[in-house]
PDB file of all heavy atoms in Angstrom:
ATOM      1  N   GLY A  14      17.105 -13.123   9.370  1.00  0.00           N
ATOM      2  CA  GLY A  14      16.607 -14.466   9.605  1.00  0.00           C
ATOM      3  C   GLY A  14      16.063 -14.742  10.995  1.00  0.00           C
ATOM      4  O   GLY A  14      15.720 -15.875  11.311  1.00  0.00           O
ATOM      5  N   ASP A  15      15.961 -13.723  11.825  1.00  0.00           N
ATOM      6  CA  ASP A  15      15.454 -13.903  13.194  1.00  0.00           C
ATOM      7  C   ASP A  15      13.925 -13.930  13.168  1.00  0.00           C
ATOM      8  O   ASP A  15      13.275 -12.895  13.050  1.00  0.00           O
ATOM      9  CB  ASP A  15      15.965 -12.763  14.074  1.00  0.00           C
ATOM     10  CG  ASP A  15      15.577 -12.910  15.536  1.00  0.00           C
ATOM     11  OD1 ASP A  15      14.621 -13.645  15.849  1.00  0.00           O
ATOM     12  OD2 ASP A  15      16.244 -12.256  16.370  1.00  0.00           O
ATOM     13  N   ASP A  16      13.361 -15.146  13.252  1.00  0.00           N
ATOM     14  CA  ASP A  16      11.913 -15.297  13.163  1.00  0.00           C
ATOM     15  C   ASP A  16      11.203 -14.652  14.353  1.00  0.00           C
ATOM     16  O   ASP A  16      10.107 -14.107  14.199  1.00  0.00           O
ATOM     17  CB  ASP A  16      11.511 -16.761  13.041  1.00  0.00           C
ATOM     18  CG  ASP A  16      10.066 -16.913  12.612  1.00  0.00           C
ATOM     19  OD1 ASP A  16       9.685 -16.308  11.585  1.00  0.00           O
ATOM     20  OD2 ASP A  16       9.305 -17.602  13.324  1.00  0.00           O
ATOM     21  N   ALA A  17      11.795 -14.690  15.533  1.00  0.00           N
ATOM     22  CA  ALA A  17      11.185 -14.055  16.707  1.00  0.00           C
ATOM     23  C   ALA A  17      11.083 -12.545  16.498  1.00  0.00           C
ATOM     24  O   ALA A  17      10.064 -11.927  16.845  1.00  0.00           O
ATOM     25  CB  ALA A  17      11.986 -14.371  17.971  1.00  0.00           C
ATOM     26  N   ALA A  18      12.106 -11.962  15.896  1.00  0.00           N
ATOM     27  CA  ALA A  18      12.072 -10.520  15.603  1.00  0.00           C
ATOM     28  C   ALA A  18      10.994 -10.225  14.562  1.00  0.00           C
ATOM     29  O   ALA A  18      10.283  -9.221  14.669  1.00  0.00           O
ATOM     30  CB  ALA A  18      13.434 -10.052  15.106  1.00  0.00           C
ATOM     31  N   ARG A  19      10.852 -11.116  13.562  1.00  0.00           N
ATOM     32  CA  ARG A  19       9.811 -10.930  12.551  1.00  0.00           C
ATOM     33  C   ARG A  19       8.437 -10.946  13.207  1.00  0.00           C
ATOM     34  O   ARG A  19       7.597 -10.101  12.933  1.00  0.00           O
ATOM     35  CB  ARG A  19       9.873 -12.034  11.483  1.00  0.00           C
ATOM     36  CG  ARG A  19       8.837 -11.832  10.364  1.00  0.00           C
ATOM     37  CD  ARG A  19       8.707 -13.051   9.481  1.00  0.00           C
ATOM     38  NE  ARG A  19       8.015 -14.141  10.120  1.00  0.00           N
ATOM     39  CZ  ARG A  19       6.680 -14.198  10.299  1.00  0.00           C
ATOM     40  NH1 ARG A  19       5.916 -13.222   9.881  1.00  0.00           N
ATOM     41  NH2 ARG A  19       6.125 -15.222  10.884  1.00  0.00           N
ATOM     42  N   GLN A  20       8.237 -11.892  14.115  1.00  0.00           N
ATOM     43  CA  GLN A  20       6.952 -11.983  14.797  1.00  0.00           C
ATOM     44  C   GLN A  20       6.684 -10.745  15.660  1.00  0.00           C
ATOM     45  O   GLN A  20       5.558 -10.251  15.693  1.00  0.00           O
ATOM     46  CB  GLN A  20       6.879 -13.258  15.637  1.00  0.00           C
ATOM     47  CG  GLN A  20       6.795 -14.506  14.786  1.00  0.00           C
ATOM     48  CD  GLN A  20       6.844 -15.788  15.612  1.00  0.00           C
ATOM     49  OE1 GLN A  20       6.839 -15.750  16.831  1.00  0.00           O
ATOM     50  NE2 GLN A  20       6.886 -16.917  14.932  1.00  0.00           N
ATOM     51  N   GLN A  21       7.715 -10.240  16.313  1.00  0.00           N
ATOM     52  CA  GLN A  21       7.545  -9.017  17.113  1.00  0.00           C
ATOM     53  C   GLN A  21       7.238  -7.821  16.219  1.00  0.00           C
ATOM     54  O   GLN A  21       6.395  -6.997  16.554  1.00  0.00           O
ATOM     55  CB  GLN A  21       8.798  -8.728  17.943  1.00  0.00           C
ATOM     56  CG  GLN A  21       8.960  -9.616  19.144  1.00  0.00           C
ATOM     57  CD  GLN A  21      10.205  -9.236  19.934  1.00  0.00           C
ATOM     58  OE1 GLN A  21      11.289  -9.113  19.377  1.00  0.00           O
ATOM     59  NE2 GLN A  21      10.020  -9.032  21.228  1.00  0.00           N
ATOM     60  N   ALA A  22       7.928  -7.727  15.090  1.00  0.00           N
ATOM     61  CA  ALA A  22       7.683  -6.618  14.161  1.00  0.00           C
ATOM     62  C   ALA A  22       6.259  -6.681  13.629  1.00  0.00           C
ATOM     63  O   ALA A  22       5.563  -5.662  13.564  1.00  0.00           O
ATOM     64  CB  ALA A  22       8.693  -6.644  13.014  1.00  0.00           C
ATOM     65  N   VAL A  23       5.826  -7.890  13.266  1.00  0.00           N
ATOM     66  CA  VAL A  23       4.459  -8.054  12.771  1.00  0.00           C
ATOM     67  C   VAL A  23       3.471  -7.646  13.857  1.00  0.00           C
ATOM     68  O   VAL A  23       2.489  -6.946  13.584  1.00  0.00           O
ATOM     69  CB  VAL A  23       4.194  -9.509  12.316  1.00  0.00           C
ATOM     70  CG1 VAL A  23       2.714  -9.741  12.059  1.00  0.00           C
ATOM     71  CG2 VAL A  23       4.987  -9.810  11.062  1.00  0.00           C
ATOM     72  N   ALA A  24       3.740  -8.047  15.092  1.00  0.00           N
ATOM     73  CA  ALA A  24       2.834  -7.687  16.195  1.00  0.00           C
ATOM     74  C   ALA A  24       2.760  -6.178  16.361  1.00  0.00           C
ATOM     75  O   ALA A  24       1.672  -5.615  16.545  1.00  0.00           O
ATOM     76  CB  ALA A  24       3.287  -8.354  17.490  1.00  0.00           C
ATOM     77  N   LEU A  25       3.902  -5.502  16.281  1.00  0.00           N
ATOM     78  CA  LEU A  25       3.911  -4.049  16.435  1.00  0.00           C
ATOM     79  C   LEU A  25       3.242  -3.343  15.256  1.00  0.00           C
ATOM     80  O   LEU A  25       2.616  -2.295  15.423  1.00  0.00           O
ATOM     81  CB  LEU A  25       5.347  -3.539  16.597  1.00  0.00           C
ATOM     82  CG  LEU A  25       6.016  -3.888  17.916  1.00  0.00           C
ATOM     83  CD1 LEU A  25       7.491  -3.496  17.878  1.00  0.00           C
ATOM     84  CD2 LEU A  25       5.312  -3.202  19.084  1.00  0.00           C
ATOM     85  N   LEU A  26       3.385  -3.914  14.071  1.00  0.00           N
ATOM     86  CA  LEU A  26       2.816  -3.303  12.872  1.00  0.00           C
ATOM     87  C   LEU A  26       1.423  -3.836  12.555  1.00  0.00           C
ATOM     88  O   LEU A  26       0.755  -3.331  11.666  1.00  0.00           O
ATOM     89  CB  LEU A  26       3.743  -3.547  11.671  1.00  0.00           C
ATOM     90  CG  LEU A  26       5.093  -2.854  11.764  1.00  0.00           C
ATOM     91  CD1 LEU A  26       6.055  -3.429  10.752  1.00  0.00           C
ATOM     92  CD2 LEU A  26       4.937  -1.353  11.593  1.00  0.00           C
ATOM     93  N   HIS A  27       1.004  -4.839  13.313  1.00  0.00           N
ATOM     94  CA  HIS A  27      -0.265  -5.513  13.022  1.00  0.00           C
ATOM     95  C   HIS A  27      -1.446  -4.557  13.009  1.00  0.00           C
ATOM     96  O   HIS A  27      -2.290  -4.616  12.115  1.00  0.00           O
ATOM     97  CB  HIS A  27      -0.519  -6.649  14.006  1.00  0.00           C
ATOM     98  CG  HIS A  27      -1.755  -7.416  13.675  1.00  0.00           C
ATOM     99  ND1 HIS A  27      -2.993  -7.071  14.161  1.00  0.00           N
ATOM    100  CD2 HIS A  27      -1.947  -8.476  12.852  1.00  0.00           C
ATOM    101  CE1 HIS A  27      -3.893  -7.891  13.671  1.00  0.00           C
ATOM    102  NE2 HIS A  27      -3.288  -8.754  12.881  1.00  0.00           N
ATOM    103  N   ASP A  28      -1.540  -3.671  13.986  1.00  0.00           N
ATOM    104  CA  ASP A  28      -2.675  -2.749  14.033  1.00  0.00           C
ATOM    105  C   ASP A  28      -2.726  -1.881  12.785  1.00  0.00           C
ATOM    106  O   ASP A  28      -3.799  -1.639  12.233  1.00  0.00           O
ATOM    107  CB  ASP A  28      -2.619  -1.871  15.286  1.00  0.00           C
ATOM    108  CG  ASP A  28      -2.941  -2.642  16.553  1.00  0.00           C
ATOM    109  OD1 ASP A  28      -3.501  -3.764  16.457  1.00  0.00           O
ATOM    110  OD2 ASP A  28      -2.624  -2.136  17.641  1.00  0.00           O
ATOM    111  N   ASP A  29      -1.553  -1.420  12.338  1.00  0.00           N
ATOM    112  CA  ASP A  29      -1.509  -0.601  11.125  1.00  0.00           C
ATOM    113  C   ASP A  29      -1.929  -1.421   9.903  1.00  0.00           C
ATOM    114  O   ASP A  29      -2.724  -0.962   9.087  1.00  0.00           O
ATOM    115  CB  ASP A  29      -0.097  -0.046  10.894  1.00  0.00           C
ATOM    116  CG  ASP A  29       0.286   1.006  11.916  1.00  0.00           C
ATOM    117  OD1 ASP A  29      -0.556   1.877  12.216  1.00  0.00           O
ATOM    118  OD2 ASP A  29       1.419   0.972  12.408  1.00  0.00           O
ATOM    119  N   LEU A  30      -1.394  -2.640   9.798  1.00  0.00           N
ATOM    120  CA  LEU A  30      -1.755  -3.492   8.662  1.00  0.00           C
ATOM    121  C   LEU A  30      -3.220  -3.892   8.718  1.00  0.00           C
ATOM    122  O   LEU A  30      -3.905  -3.924   7.694  1.00  0.00           O
ATOM    123  CB  LEU A  30      -0.867  -4.733   8.613  1.00  0.00           C
ATOM    124  CG  LEU A  30       0.585  -4.492   8.203  1.00  0.00           C
ATOM    125  CD1 LEU A  30       1.380  -5.781   8.324  1.00  0.00           C
ATOM    126  CD2 LEU A  30       0.685  -3.919   6.813  1.00  0.00           C
ATOM    127  N   ALA A  31      -3.713  -4.181   9.920  1.00  0.00           N
ATOM    128  CA  ALA A  31      -5.119  -4.572  10.067  1.00  0.00           C
ATOM    129  C   ALA A  31      -6.035  -3.414   9.689  1.00  0.00           C
ATOM    130  O   ALA A  31      -7.072  -3.620   9.055  1.00  0.00           O
ATOM    131  CB  ALA A  31      -5.394  -5.032  11.493  1.00  0.00           C
ATOM    132  N   ARG A  32      -5.649  -2.197  10.039  1.00  0.00           N
ATOM    133  CA  ARG A  32      -6.439  -1.023   9.664  1.00  0.00           C
ATOM    134  C   ARG A  32      -6.499  -0.907   8.140  1.00  0.00           C
ATOM    135  O   ARG A  32      -7.559  -0.654   7.568  1.00  0.00           O
ATOM    136  CB  ARG A  32      -5.828   0.235  10.288  1.00  0.00           C
ATOM    137  CG  ARG A  32      -6.535   1.519   9.916  1.00  0.00           C
ATOM    138  CD  ARG A  32      -5.861   2.745  10.529  1.00  0.00           C
ATOM    139  NE  ARG A  32      -4.413   2.744  10.487  1.00  0.00           N
ATOM    140  CZ  ARG A  32      -3.677   3.043   9.418  1.00  0.00           C
ATOM    141  NH1 ARG A  32      -4.272   3.351   8.279  1.00  0.00           N
ATOM    142  NH2 ARG A  32      -2.362   3.024   9.460  1.00  0.00           N
ATOM    143  N   LEU A  33      -5.372  -1.125   7.489  1.00  0.00           N
ATOM    144  CA  LEU A  33      -5.353  -1.087   6.019  1.00  0.00           C
ATOM    145  C   LEU A  33      -6.233  -2.180   5.438  1.00  0.00           C
ATOM    146  O   LEU A  33      -6.999  -1.948   4.506  1.00  0.00           O
ATOM    147  CB  LEU A  33      -3.923  -1.252   5.503  1.00  0.00           C
ATOM    148  CG  LEU A  33      -2.933  -0.159   5.824  1.00  0.00           C
ATOM    149  CD1 LEU A  33      -1.567  -0.507   5.269  1.00  0.00           C
ATOM    150  CD2 LEU A  33      -3.403   1.169   5.294  1.00  0.00           C
ATOM    151  N   ALA A  34      -6.116  -3.382   5.992  1.00  0.00           N
ATOM    152  CA  ALA A  34      -6.913  -4.500   5.484  1.00  0.00           C
ATOM    153  C   ALA A  34      -8.397  -4.250   5.702  1.00  0.00           C
ATOM    154  O   ALA A  34      -9.211  -4.519   4.816  1.00  0.00           O
ATOM    155  CB  ALA A  34      -6.483  -5.803   6.160  1.00  0.00           C
ATOM    156  N   ARG A  35      -8.760  -3.722   6.871  1.00  0.00           N
ATOM    157  CA  ARG A  35     -10.180  -3.439   7.143  1.00  0.00           C
ATOM    158  C   ARG A  35     -10.722  -2.419   6.164  1.00  0.00           C
ATOM    159  O   ARG A  35     -11.852  -2.538   5.699  1.00  0.00           O
ATOM    160  CB  ARG A  35     -10.361  -2.925   8.575  1.00  0.00           C
ATOM    161  CG  ARG A  35     -10.426  -4.005   9.611  1.00  0.00           C
ATOM    162  CD  ARG A  35     -10.932  -3.462  10.929  1.00  0.00           C
ATOM    163  NE  ARG A  35     -10.186  -2.320  11.427  1.00  0.00           N
ATOM    164  CZ  ARG A  35      -9.082  -2.403  12.169  1.00  0.00           C
ATOM    165  NH1 ARG A  35      -8.587  -3.569  12.499  1.00  0.00           N
ATOM    166  NH2 ARG A  35      -8.478  -1.311  12.584  1.00  0.00           N
ATOM    167  N   SER A  36      -9.910  -1.441   5.836  1.00  0.00           N
ATOM    168  CA  SER A  36     -10.395  -0.406   4.922  1.00  0.00           C
ATOM    169  C   SER A  36     -10.619  -0.966   3.526  1.00  0.00           C
ATOM    170  O   SER A  36     -11.345  -0.383   2.735  1.00  0.00           O
ATOM    171  CB  SER A  36      -9.422   0.770   4.887  1.00  0.00           C
ATOM    172  OG  SER A  36      -8.232   0.425   4.215  1.00  0.00           O
ATOM    173  N   THR A  37     -10.015  -2.101   3.231  1.00  0.00           N
ATOM    174  CA  THR A  37     -10.181  -2.705   1.912  1.00  0.00           C
ATOM    175  C   THR A  37     -11.171  -3.853   1.911  1.00  0.00           C
ATOM    176  O   THR A  37     -11.489  -4.389   0.859  1.00  0.00           O
ATOM    177  CB  THR A  37      -8.836  -3.214   1.366  1.00  0.00           C
ATOM    178  OG1 THR A  37      -8.360  -4.232   2.222  1.00  0.00           O
ATOM    179  CG2 THR A  37      -7.840  -2.090   1.251  1.00  0.00           C
ATOM    180  N   THR A  38     -11.647  -4.257   3.083  1.00  0.00           N
ATOM    181  CA  THR A  38     -12.611  -5.362   3.152  1.00  0.00           C
ATOM    182  C   THR A  38     -13.896  -4.877   3.811  1.00  0.00           C
ATOM    183  O   THR A  38     -14.397  -5.489   4.737  1.00  0.00           O
ATOM    184  CB  THR A  38     -12.043  -6.563   3.925  1.00  0.00           C
ATOM    185  OG1 THR A  38     -11.640  -6.120   5.227  1.00  0.00           O
ATOM    186  CG2 THR A  38     -10.866  -7.191   3.206  1.00  0.00           C
ATOM    187  N   ALA A  39     -14.389  -3.764   3.333  1.00  0.00           N
ATOM    188  CA  ALA A  39     -15.671  -3.203   3.765  1.00  0.00           C
ATOM    189  C   ALA A  39     -15.754  -2.985   5.270  1.00  0.00           C
ATOM    190  O   ALA A  39     -16.804  -3.099   5.863  1.00  0.00           O
ATOM    191  CB  ALA A  39     -16.825  -4.081   3.290  1.00  0.00           C
ATOM    192  N   GLY A  40     -14.612  -2.662   5.884  1.00  0.00           N
ATOM    193  CA  GLY A  40     -14.609  -2.293   7.288  1.00  0.00           C
ATOM    194  C   GLY A  40     -14.842  -3.434   8.257  1.00  0.00           C
ATOM    195  O   GLY A  40     -14.991  -3.209   9.442  1.00  0.00           O
ATOM    196  N   ALA A  41     -14.863  -4.664   7.781  1.00  0.00           N
ATOM    197  CA  ALA A  41     -15.060  -5.797   8.690  1.00  0.00           C
ATOM    198  C   ALA A  41     -13.887  -5.848   9.657  1.00  0.00           C
ATOM    199  O   ALA A  41     -12.742  -5.909   9.246  1.00  0.00           O
ATOM    200  CB  ALA A  41     -15.148  -7.089   7.900  1.00  0.00           C
ATOM    201  N   PRO A  42     -14.141  -5.768  10.959  1.00  0.00           N
ATOM    202  CA  PRO A  42     -13.060  -5.614  11.911  1.00  0.00           C
ATOM    203  C   PRO A  42     -12.100  -6.788  11.993  1.00  0.00           C
ATOM    204  O   PRO A  42     -10.922  -6.616  12.163  1.00  0.00           O
ATOM    205  CB  PRO A  42     -13.775  -5.416  13.242  1.00  0.00           C
ATOM    206  CG  PRO A  42     -15.143  -5.945  13.047  1.00  0.00           C
ATOM    207  CD  PRO A  42     -15.447  -5.841  11.586  1.00  0.00           C
ATOM    208  N   SER A  43     -12.567  -7.989  11.871  1.00  0.00           N
ATOM    209  CA  SER A  43     -11.670  -9.123  12.043  1.00  0.00           C
ATOM    210  C   SER A  43     -12.234 -10.320  11.286  1.00  0.00           C
ATOM    211  O   SER A  43     -12.857 -11.196  11.865  1.00  0.00           O
ATOM    212  CB  SER A  43     -11.525  -9.452  13.526  1.00  0.00           C
ATOM    213  OG  SER A  43     -10.645 -10.530  13.677  1.00  0.00           O
ATOM    214  N   THR A  44     -12.016 -10.327  10.003  1.00  0.00           N
ATOM    215  CA  THR A  44     -12.506 -11.431   9.184  1.00  0.00           C
ATOM    216  C   THR A  44     -11.315 -12.270   8.742  1.00  0.00           C
ATOM    217  O   THR A  44     -10.181 -11.782   8.709  1.00  0.00           O
ATOM    218  CB  THR A  44     -13.230 -10.900   7.931  1.00  0.00           C
ATOM    219  OG1 THR A  44     -12.269 -10.204   7.124  1.00  0.00           O
ATOM    220  CG2 THR A  44     -14.385  -9.989   8.283  1.00  0.00           C
ATOM    221  N   PRO A  45     -11.558 -13.501   8.376  1.00  0.00           N
ATOM    222  CA  PRO A  45     -10.457 -14.310   7.835  1.00  0.00           C
ATOM    223  C   PRO A  45      -9.835 -13.651   6.604  1.00  0.00           C
ATOM    224  O   PRO A  45      -8.628 -13.705   6.412  1.00  0.00           O
ATOM    225  CB  PRO A  45     -11.128 -15.644   7.481  1.00  0.00           C
ATOM    226  CG  PRO A  45     -12.328 -15.706   8.371  1.00  0.00           C
ATOM    227  CD  PRO A  45     -12.789 -14.285   8.541  1.00  0.00           C
ATOM    228  N   GLU A  46     -10.670 -13.001   5.799  1.00  0.00           N
ATOM    229  CA  GLU A  46     -10.163 -12.323   4.600  1.00  0.00           C
ATOM    230  C   GLU A  46      -9.201 -11.198   4.990  1.00  0.00           C
ATOM    231  O   GLU A  46      -8.135 -11.056   4.398  1.00  0.00           O
ATOM    232  CB  GLU A  46     -11.323 -11.765   3.777  1.00  0.00           C
ATOM    233  CG  GLU A  46     -10.866 -11.072   2.507  1.00  0.00           C
ATOM    234  CD  GLU A  46     -12.008 -10.481   1.710  1.00  0.00           C
ATOM    235  OE1 GLU A  46     -13.181 -10.701   2.048  1.00  0.00           O
ATOM    236  OE2 GLU A  46     -11.706  -9.789   0.736  1.00  0.00           O
ATOM    237  N   ALA A  47      -9.569 -10.393   5.986  1.00  0.00           N
ATOM    238  CA  ALA A  47      -8.704  -9.299   6.428  1.00  0.00           C
ATOM    239  C   ALA A  47      -7.415  -9.848   7.028  1.00  0.00           C
ATOM    240  O   ALA A  47      -6.331  -9.329   6.773  1.00  0.00           O
ATOM    241  CB  ALA A  47      -9.432  -8.407   7.429  1.00  0.00           C
ATOM    242  N   ALA A  48      -7.511 -10.911   7.820  1.00  0.00           N
ATOM    243  CA  ALA A  48      -6.326 -11.520   8.429  1.00  0.00           C
ATOM    244  C   ALA A  48      -5.390 -12.070   7.357  1.00  0.00           C
ATOM    245  O   ALA A  48      -4.165 -11.905   7.442  1.00  0.00           O
ATOM    246  CB  ALA A  48      -6.738 -12.618   9.406  1.00  0.00           C
ATOM    247  N   ALA A  49      -5.961 -12.706   6.348  1.00  0.00           N
ATOM    248  CA  ALA A  49      -5.146 -13.243   5.254  1.00  0.00           C
ATOM    249  C   ALA A  49      -4.482 -12.109   4.482  1.00  0.00           C
ATOM    250  O   ALA A  49      -3.320 -12.234   4.061  1.00  0.00           O
ATOM    251  CB  ALA A  49      -6.008 -14.088   4.322  1.00  0.00           C
ATOM    252  N   LEU A  50      -5.197 -11.005   4.316  1.00  0.00           N
ATOM    253  CA  LEU A  50      -4.641  -9.851   3.621  1.00  0.00           C
ATOM    254  C   LEU A  50      -3.480  -9.256   4.411  1.00  0.00           C
ATOM    255  O   LEU A  50      -2.457  -8.879   3.842  1.00  0.00           O
ATOM    256  CB  LEU A  50      -5.740  -8.816   3.393  1.00  0.00           C
ATOM    257  CG  LEU A  50      -5.493  -7.725   2.376  1.00  0.00           C
ATOM    258  CD1 LEU A  50      -5.085  -8.285   1.021  1.00  0.00           C
ATOM    259  CD2 LEU A  50      -6.744  -6.873   2.222  1.00  0.00           C
ATOM    260  N   VAL A  51      -3.602  -9.188   5.727  1.00  0.00           N
ATOM    261  CA  VAL A  51      -2.519  -8.683   6.581  1.00  0.00           C
ATOM    262  C   VAL A  51      -1.272  -9.542   6.404  1.00  0.00           C
ATOM    263  O   VAL A  51      -0.176  -9.028   6.168  1.00  0.00           O
ATOM    264  CB  VAL A  51      -2.953  -8.654   8.066  1.00  0.00           C
ATOM    265  CG1 VAL A  51      -1.756  -8.448   8.986  1.00  0.00           C
ATOM    266  CG2 VAL A  51      -3.982  -7.562   8.299  1.00  0.00           C
TER     267      VAL A  51
END
Side-chain angles (χ1 to χ4, degrees):
D15 184 340
D16 194 53
R19 183 192 73 76
Q20 290 175 6
Q21 285 182 309
V23 169
L25 290 172
L26 294 165
H27 184 271
D28 288 344
D29 290 316
L30 289 175
R32 178 182 42 79
L33 295 178
R35 278 194 306 273
S36 71
T37 63
T38 56
S43 181
T44 64
E46 181 182 353
L50 196 53
V51 167

